[in-house]
Amino acid sequence: MRLLVVLFFFFNDTATTEIYTLSLHDALPILGPRSREALALEIMRRVGLAHLGETPLCTQQTIAAALQLPPEQMVDIVDQLMQYGLLLNSGDDPPRLLPGRDPQRIPLKAIIDAVAGGDLVPDIPPVTLGVMQRLDDSVEQGLGGQTLGDLLKP
């Protein structure tokens, strides 16, 4: 569990206040659901290619550099992929990322589900839950059982 601490500073000088306000806005952008899903798929694709020997071995830092992202932007997504058993750390220094199992046995839907998690708001009416279930079903149908292995084919 990570904790975000936000401190507010109030200054008599408005220029100083503006500088601190701008620095808060320059913090890491919050990725939306589709961006998180796309990033998770790309992390897994790169790790899978490295696993097959197609590309150099992957660390969080090398993937972040290749995608021109701050490494901190990926930490939460990598952690969730690991919690779902889709990704492993090699234990090396620095740790390499490895697929949690054979890429042919990792459904793309499982990768998306790993980062789309979270708790549902209690007392959502059934009609709304039905819409959410249809969205989930459409993703499943659209992917047609594709696996990470399918993303690794030339």
Side-chain angles (χ1 to χ4, degrees):
M1 171 195 262
R2 285 194 263 146
L3 177 66
L4 174 64
V5 177
V6 178
L7 301 173
F8 291 96
F9 297 95
F10 296 97
F11 300 97
N12 289 334
D13 176 13
T14 56
T16 304
T17 301
E18 284 181 27
I19 290 170
Y20 279 93
T21 303
L22 287 174
S23 68
L24 287 174
H25 290 290
D26 291 337
L28 293 175
I30 297 172
L31 296 178
R34 288 288 179 221
S35 294
R36 290 176 54 78
E37 292 166 358
L39 184 54
L41 288 167
E42 183 58 16
I43 290 168
M44 292 299 297
R45 187 184 75 81
R46 288 175 181 268
V47 168
L49 289 171
H51 175 71
L52 296 176
E54 301 287 327
T55 61
L57 300 175
C58 293
T59 65
Q60 285 190 48
Q61 291 76 19
T62 60
I63 294 174
L67 297 175
Q68 299 180 12
L69 290 172
E72 301 82 23
Q73 190 84 56
M74 295 178 27
V75 171
D76 182 49
I77 292 171
V78 168
D79 287 348
Q80 288 176 306
L81 292 168
M82 286 182 178
Q83 287 174 5
Y84 276 73
L86 303 173
L87 200 58
L88 299 172
N89 256 333
S90 68
D92 299 334
D93 188 24
R96 292 178 292 119
L97 298 174
L98 306 167
R101 55 186 181 264
D102 177 2
Q104 292 295 340
R105 294 185 40 229
I106 299 177
L108 296 181
K109 179 75 166 67
I111 298 169
I112 290 170
D113 287 346
V115 297
D119 296 328
L120 284 176
V121 176
D123 300 323
I124 296 290
V127 67
T128 304
L129 290 175
V131 170
M132 299 310 295
Q133 183 61 53
R134 287 193 306 276
L135 281 170
D136 199 43
D137 292 346
S138 70
V139 170
E140 180 82 41
Q141 182 180 0
L143 292 173
Q146 286 184 298
T147 67
L148 176 58
D150 294 320
L151 284 184
L152 306 179
K153 295 176 184 171

